[in-house]
Amino acid sequence: MQAQLQHFANYDPLTGVFNRREFVRLANSELARAQRYGHDLALVLIDIDHFKAINDQFGHDTGNNALACFAASWIAEKRASDLFARWGGEEVILLLPVTNQQQARQFVERVRTKALNTPVTVNNEHLAIKFSAGISAYTSGETLEQLVQRADLALYQAKQNGRNQTVIAELPSTANH
């Protein structure tokens, strides 16, 4: 019973991945490790493009199934050391330890290509899940909140630039630290 309660407290029930609270707890430990050892660390914020249209056209059950399949595609590709969570709505977040921003971009683009070439079949409809992503690379002394904020700005830029793409966040100026 205790293990079941712990699972409900730490995981998103729809996707089976970490929830936001557990992600933050684990990600702060990874940031401390990156700071201590000088390792690269990349954070990726991902949003399914036009998700509302999927819900509107096919219904929320189909949207939920598409979101669960989308999460499963990331789970299949990520490394055991990577942290993956549902951030909110159709947004997911990924923390990639010992990974620089270019390596993170290569990983995201590999998953994007696979997602486009492997449509999700729901109610006899084939949905190619497209997504936008923002990547931020950790800089020494940066907080998780700052890292997420930079990835969110890059994600917003990807959406503004036409969606279905990845944007790497600018590094913070030294005036911020």
Side-chain angles (χ1 to χ4, degrees), residues 11-21 23 45 51 64 67 71 84-94:
Y11 290 86
D12 175 64
L14 177 63
T15 59
V17 300
F18 288 128
N19 62 28
R20 187 178 188 141
R21 183 179 53 250
F23 176 86
L45 195 56
F51 188 72
N64 286 344
L67 182 58
F84 181 63
R86 185 169 180 193
W87 195 242
E90 69 277 5
E91 278 188 340
V92 294
I93 193 165
L94 187 63

Side-chain angles (χ1 to χ4, degrees), residues 37-131:
Y37 297 109
H39 293 161
D40 286 329
L41 183 74
L43 184 133
V44 186
L45 195 56
I46 306 149
D47 188 77
I48 298 175
D49 293 334
H50 304 293
F51 188 72
K52 183 180 180 325
I54 294 171
N55 278 335
D56 290 348
Q57 184 175 354
F58 301 105
H60 289 282
D61 285 344
T62 299
N64 286 344
N65 288 337
L67 182 58
C69 289
F70 180 70
S73 69
W74 285 95
I75 292 167
E77 297 296 321
K78 76 175 196 65
R79 303 169 299 187
S81 61
D82 299 337
L83 298 178
F84 181 63
R86 185 169 180 193
W87 195 242
E90 69 277 5
E91 278 188 340
V92 294
I93 193 165
L94 187 63
L95 190 73
L96 304 167
V98 194
T99 304
N100 66 36
Q101 62 189 16
Q102 290 305 323
Q103 292 166 326
R105 179 192 279 273
Q106 289 170 351
F107 172 66
V108 170
E109 292 307 313
R110 182 169 42 93
V111 174
R112 176 190 316 291
T113 300
K114 187 173 181 182
L116 290 173
N117 293 327
T118 314
V120 175
T121 303
V122 183
N123 300 335
N124 297 321
E125 295 287 337
H126 301 292
L127 306 174
I129 303 293
K130 296 178 182 178
F131 62 88

